[in-house]
Amino acid sequence: MNYQILKIQIADRIAVVTISRPAALNALNTRFFKEFNHFLDDLEPRDDVKVLVITGEGKAFVAGADIAEMVHMNSDEGYAFSTFGQRTFDRLEQLRIPVIAAVNGYALGGGCELTMACDFRIASKQAKFGQPEMNLGMIPGYAATQRLSRLTGLGNALYLILTADTISADDALRIGLVQKVTEPELLMVEVMKLATKIAGNGSQAVVTSKRIIRAGIAKSFQEASELEAIEFGRQFDDQATKEGMKAFLEKRKPEW
Ligand code: CAA
C-alpha cells in the first residue's frame, strides 16, 4: 500500500509508526484507518518485531477524529465511522506484542482513545489529554466511554467526558492515564529505552503476560487466576523459561 499518513520504521525488533498529517493535527480519517489496518495486516504475522511504538508528527499526537469528515455524516455513516474505529482499536489492543503510545502533544478525542488502546502511555510534558467531544455536542465514538473508566476509574472518566476539560500530562499521570512523563526532547529516547528493554525480555513471557492481563479483565478473578496457572505450567516446556532460571543460578545473563 502507498502510505500517505503513516510513516513506518522497523529496526532492532521495534516498529515505530508515526501518524503524519500535521496540517490537520493528525486527525483520524477513514484513510488513516485503512492504512493502519493494512499496517496491522503486515505486522501481525511477523516474528521479528517485539514492540510497537505509536507517535504523532508535529505538535499533536492526534487531535481527534476528523471533524471535517464527520460534519457531513448521517447516522448510518456515523455508526460505520465509529465501528470501523472501534474495531481497529480493538485489533490494536489485542495485538500479540506490547504497544507503547509515545504521546508528543495533543491527545484529544479519538487521539486519547487511540492512546488508551495501547498497552501504556509515555507522555511529553507538552502533551495534553482529554475527551472534548461535548464541545462539539457529541459523545466519544472510539470507546472512550468504556476504556477511560477502566483505566482511570468512574469518577475521572465521567469528569473528563462530561466537562470536556483538557488536562496536562502531569494530571494524566496522577489519574493513571499516563505511566511516565518526560521532557519533550527526551520522549523518544525514553520510549525507545523502554521498548528495547521489553524487546529484550523473554518474548513468550511478554506476549503471554499481555494476553492474560487483558483476557482477565473480562473474566472472574478465579477464572483469570486459573488461566495464569495454566500458562505458568505451560512455560516449563519452554526453553526460554529454563534458560532464564538457569542463567540466574549460574550468575550470567540469559541468552534468548
Ligand atoms: N479534525 C479535523 N481537523 C482538525 C482537528 C480535528 N479533530 N483538530 C485540528 N484540526 C485542524 C484545524 O481545523 C486546523 O486546520 P486549518 O489550519 O485548516 O484551519 C489545524 O488542524 C490546526 O488546528 P488549530 O488551528 O485549531 O490549532 P490550535 O493550536 O489553535 O488548537 C487544538 C489546537 C486545541 C487541538 C484545536 O485544534 C482543537 O480543539 N481541535 C479539535 C479537538 C477535538 O475536538 N477533538 C475531538 C474530535 S471528535 C472525536 O474525536 C470523536 C470520537 O471520539 C470518534
Side-chain angles (χ1 to χ4, degrees):
M1 182 177 205
N2 173 27
Y3 290 110
Q4 293 167 7
I5 297 176
L6 300 186
K7 291 183 178 167
I8 298 159
Q9 282 181 305
I10 300 181
D12 300 329
R13 301 179 292 177
I14 299 164
V16 179
V17 173
T18 305
I19 303 168
S20 178
R21 200 161 75 102
L25 302 188
N26 305 327
L28 304 179
N29 57 9
T30 300
R31 171 84 204 178
F32 161 80
F33 284 107
K34 286 186 177 158
E35 290 191 14
F36 199 71
N37 275 288
H38 192 273
F39 164 69
L40 291 176
D41 289 342
D42 283 345
L43 185 67
E44 277 167 350
R46 284 182 72 149
D47 268 350
D48 57 325
V49 179
K50 304 296 182 193
V51 180
L52 169 62
V53 173
I54 303 178
T55 192
E57 184 162 317
K59 70 176 177 184
F61 174 78
V62 165
D66 191 333
I67 301 166
E69 186 173 339
M70 288 189 295
V71 71
H72 302 295
M73 289 178 186
N74 61 29
S75 53
D76 287 344
E77 289 162 340
Y79 177 77
F81 191 71
S82 171
T83 51
F84 189 27
Q86 287 181 357
R87 278 201 306 271
T88 307
F89 288 1
D90 289 349
R91 200 176 165 193
L92 176 66
E93 188 175 71
Q94 284 152 25
L95 199 67
R96 239 166 46 87
I97 59 173
V99 184
I100 306 174
V103 188
N104 51 301
Y106 293 112
L108 301 178
C112 189
E113 291 168 305
L114 170 56
T115 74
M116 290 190 282
C118 298
D119 293 312
F120 53 86
R121 289 141 292 281
I122 311 298
S124 147
K125 269 191 173 151
Q126 281 170 353
K128 300 250 183 280
F129 292 80
Q131 295 294 151
E133 286 87 349
M134 289 285 147
N135 293 334
L136 304 168
M138 57 164 49
I139 68 167
Y142 299 151
T145 58
Q146 305 311 309
R147 285 200 179 94
L148 193 52
S149 57
R150 286 166 169 80
L151 282 174
T152 68
L154 266 184
N156 288 315
L158 284 160
Y159 175 86
L160 282 171
I161 292 174
L162 300 187
T163 63
D165 275 1
T166 293
I167 59 170
S168 66
D170 283 330
D171 281 344
L173 180 71
R174 189 177 48 74
I175 64 171
L177 181 55
V178 154
Q179 280 57 63
K180 195 169 187 177
V181 176
T182 74
E183 292 301 326
E185 64 280 8
L186 293 180
L187 175 66
M188 287 315 285
V189 177
E190 289 290 334
V191 167
M192 294 311 279
K193 256 195 230 165
L194 286 173
T196 304
K197 183 175 184 185
I198 294 170
N201 289 339
S203 89
Q204 197 50 46
V206 168
V207 163
T208 306
S209 296
K210 170 173 172 170
R211 183 163 52 77
I212 297 175
I213 292 167
R214 289 216 169 272
I217 301 279
K219 293 184 188 298
S220 70
F221 186 87
Q222 281 72 20
E223 281 174 318
S225 301
E226 175 60 14
L227 183 60
E228 181 187 87
I230 291 167
E231 293 296 344
F232 189 82
R234 196 171 278 164
Q235 70 191 345
F236 289 90
D237 294 335
D238 186 342
Q239 277 315 307
T241 303
K242 295 258 189 283
E243 167 61 9
M245 290 188 285
K246 264 176 74 184
F248 174 82
L249 294 173
E250 292 166 12
K251 301 189 190 310
R252 59 175 174 82
K253 282 205 157 153
E255 283 172 31
W256 284 317

